[in-house]
Amino acid sequence: MASAIGNKRKAVTRDVPDVIDAASGDELESGLLDGVLSQSEDGELDEDDDEVNEEDKDEEGEDEDDENEDVEDGKDDGSSLSNALTRQGGLSDDDAPNYTVTEDANGNARYVYHDIDPVYDSDDSEAPATTNTIGDIPLTFYDSYPHIGYDINGKKIMRPAKGEALDALLDSIEVPKGWTGLTDPATGLPLQLSQEELEVLRRIQMNEIPEEGYDPYPATVEYFTSKTEVMPLSAAPEPKRRFVPSKHEAKRVMKIVRAIREGRILPYKPPSEEVQDDPDVVRYDVWADEAPRADHPMNVPAPKLPPPGYDQSYNPPPEYLPTKAEKKAWEAADEEDKEKEYLPTAYDALRKVPGYDNFVKERFERSLDLYLAPRIRRNKLNIDPESLLPKLPSPDELRPFPTMCGTIFRGHRGKVRSVAVDPTGTWLASGGDDGTVRVWEFLTGRQVWSVKLSIEEVVNVVRWRPGQEAFVLAAAAGEDILLLVPPIVDPELEAASRELLDAGWGYASNGATPLTTASGARKDPPASWARPSTSLVDSGVLFKVTVRAPVKVISWHRRGEYFVTVSPTGANSAVAIHTLSKHLTQIPFRRLKGLAQTAQFHPSKPILFVATQRTIRSYDLVRQQLLKILQPGARWISSLDLHPGGDNLIVGSYDRRLLWHDLDLASRPYKTLRYHDKAIRAVRFHQGGLPLFADASDDGSVQVFHGKVVGDLMENATIVPLKVLRGHTVERQLGVLDLDWHPREPWCVSAGADGTCRLWM
């Protein structure tokens, strides 16, 4: 017994100094502690050992951190002190400390205050038991945590457990009183509303006043009685001054009248309600000075809108409503072809009529009508518009010209890129994508000779040498220009043609001067003249001229001695002039302005015309100078041709325009013709004396025109469209690629992308 008492006494004496250090001086005074110690020494000697065992059991029920604390080291919490002091009678319940001393993460003392138990008359009696203190932080930040916030003491507010789907279904079936189906965002618990709150929500939903007992229509309080009193308040007779006019008032009235007459007092004028216009905004009223005038033939009043008819009603009679066919035809018609801007439509009621789509447009047109309406009637000249047009002859009077397809030449595989008629009008040569050159009989369409020039390259152009003393054909396949003598004519003509071509070998070996630079170094020749392979020579191909870039255009001089070639990708060497009798090639331009497209000699003068993408330049080959620059106005020139007289020029462009230039008139075109839907590929004048020319387009058509040129400088050329020839099919957006005229007859031949050539007669 004594040992138990001694152990207990030691435990108490060790706990007290630690608590005194932790507590403040106001709560635990020295006198109070002395009394506690004295009571503990006297009173605790009579205690049983069972009480000590009970204290040990209570201490074992604390947290895991408190169990590891050693009592002998003096680290006991404040709860043991407060309990001991209360047990021993030293402190009452009101004087006991309301906190517990623990350790924080750094080992320092931490005071945890007990929850306040509000009494009946406390102001916090209606406060919620647990308040979330996270402030304005969204609760979505705590979705990945088991708690949803912290209370006033910093403890975690755990997330309420959620039931399974079956529990949720049962909760939805058995709806408790005050159930809303919502969740309180602060606590995560189901939101329960009281009967008063539900009643307020019901009143708000029914558009009623939330406050109960409020009368929106109270009874009227009568401030005056409705009873009319018969007797006056005073029975005294009226004084005389009330019936005699006052002189003082008369003086005041006359004073005011005098001031009004003198202008010192102005009568009252109500303020104008007109909105002042912005001085920066200028508005014009064309009918501002419109004054009513007498009915006169020269007076034109402002135009008025016609009154609406029955078809403009929202529910017109059935006979005004269009049928399905009429409605479909109206929708398919163009805007300028429609008789009305609207279709009559029936609606059951006026409220079902939708907004009018053309309202703003019609208002704008009405404003234009008022703005552009004539203010005075003027006598206009009655002139027939057709009389202002130039009088052109009828096409029937301009015959002959081709009107129909006479022969179709079939045999090429792929597109036929070029076609040419020999000077005698007997033979037709063609070249295409299959790399072959074919010669046909002009009238029968029978193929008489063909040769394969290249396997990989296409034949871009074929041209006959002018003159009937030789039978020479020039063809271009890639960078090679080949001179052919087809073995289809009599031996004498064939021998003369071979002799003409072979005459240049001696000059090339003996008389040719090698090209050198300014420093004396030898330059590479612009082209090489050589014999082709043996198989080609046996077929009739005698020479091969190789230039620096693929050749697209070949044009002969009228004497047959020279021919010019154009290689659009050849840069400065794009234009080359070749001399047949010397086997010589010259580059006439040191620097060419623009990308060369085509070139052609003048029919009677030593002038060379070179066309770039947008301009045409003419050069004098004798004086070696620039003569004139023509500006057709086209975006991309495709071809050109000179009139046999030499004073007129036609130009075709990829932007669907055919332009006629008068070289003596101006640098701008004399006429611009737009009759094609796609690009124009080739243009040709008739060289046999007939006033005809034609163009070929990618829309698959050939258009024939009458172009009469007279010697009188005071009269311009006459241009009349004659015929549109259709027969070629468009393949991959390519139609007719080339054409040529018969040297004497009004016949023309066209080459198409469909692989055929057609003779139009």
Side-chain angles (χ1 to χ4, degrees), residues 380-391:
K380 297 195 301 183
L381 299 177
N382 295 326
I383 299 176
D384 187 9
E386 296 182 357
S387 63
L388 300 177
L389 298 176
K391 295 182 179 180

Side-chain angles (χ1 to χ4, degrees), residues 183-359:
T183 303
D184 190 357
T187 61
L189 298 174
L191 182 61
Q192 301 290 338
L193 300 180
S194 62
Q195 185 64 29
E196 291 77 8
E197 292 173 340
L198 292 175
E199 182 65 21
V200 171
L201 291 177
R202 187 194 65 80
R203 288 176 176 273
I204 293 175
Q205 185 178 6
M206 299 299 293
N207 294 330
E208 297 180 1
I209 298 175
E211 184 179 356
E212 185 178 2
Y214 177 79
D215 187 8
Y217 305 105
T220 304
V221 179
E222 299 289 347
Y223 293 97
F224 300 96
T225 61
S226 58
K227 183 179 179 181
T228 304
E229 298 293 340
V230 179
M231 299 301 295
L233 297 178
S234 175
E238 296 289 339
K240 183 179 179 181
R241 63 178 178 273
R242 295 186 180 179
F243 301 96
V244 177
S246 174
K247 295 183 180 181
H248 176 68
E249 292 179 358
K251 290 181 180 180
R252 295 187 62 184
V253 170
M254 291 304 299
K255 185 177 180 180
I256 295 173
V257 171
R258 191 178 303 108
I260 293 175
R261 291 175 180 175
E262 294 176 358
R264 290 182 285 107
I265 297 179
L266 299 178
Y268 172 76
K269 291 183 179 180
S272 60
E273 298 180 357
E274 297 180 358
V275 180
Q276 295 182 357
D277 295 337
D278 189 358
D280 297 336
V281 179
V282 181
R283 295 183 175 87
Y284 300 96
D285 187 2
V286 295
W287 302 100
D289 57 345
E290 185 71 14
R293 301 178 183 178
D295 188 11
H296 192 272
M298 302 303 293
N299 179 31
V300 180
K304 295 182 180 180
L305 290 175
Y310 291 106
D311 56 344
Q312 296 182 356
S313 173
Y314 73 92
N315 191 9
E319 58 268 16
Y320 289 94
L321 297 177
T323 60
K324 293 183 179 180
E326 294 175 351
K327 184 177 180 181
K328 186 176 181 180
W330 184 85
E331 293 176 351
D334 296 335
E335 293 295 334
E336 58 271 9
D337 296 337
K338 295 179 180 179
E339 297 181 358
K340 298 180 180 179
E341 297 292 336
Y342 59 90
L343 275 180
T345 309
Y347 298 95
D348 298 338
L350 186 60
R351 58 184 175 84
K352 296 183 180 180
V353 179
Y356 186 42
D357 297 338
N358 297 330
F359 176 76

Side-chain angles (χ1 to χ4, degrees), residues 76 84 108 144 253 275 313 354 382 414 655 695 733:
D76 193 6
N108 300 325
S144 60
V253 170
V275 180
S313 173
N382 295 326
D655 54 353
D695 61 355
Q733 298 183 355

Side-chain angles (χ1 to χ4, degrees), residues 614-616 628-633 649 651 659-670:
R614 297 195 176 188
T615 60
I616 300 174
K628 184 180 293 187
I629 299 177
L630 302 178
Q631 297 178 352
L649 177 75
V651 181
L659 306 117
W660 180 292
H661 275 273
D662 191 341
L663 300 181
D664 296 333
L665 192 62
S667 61
R668 295 289 181 178
Y670 162 64

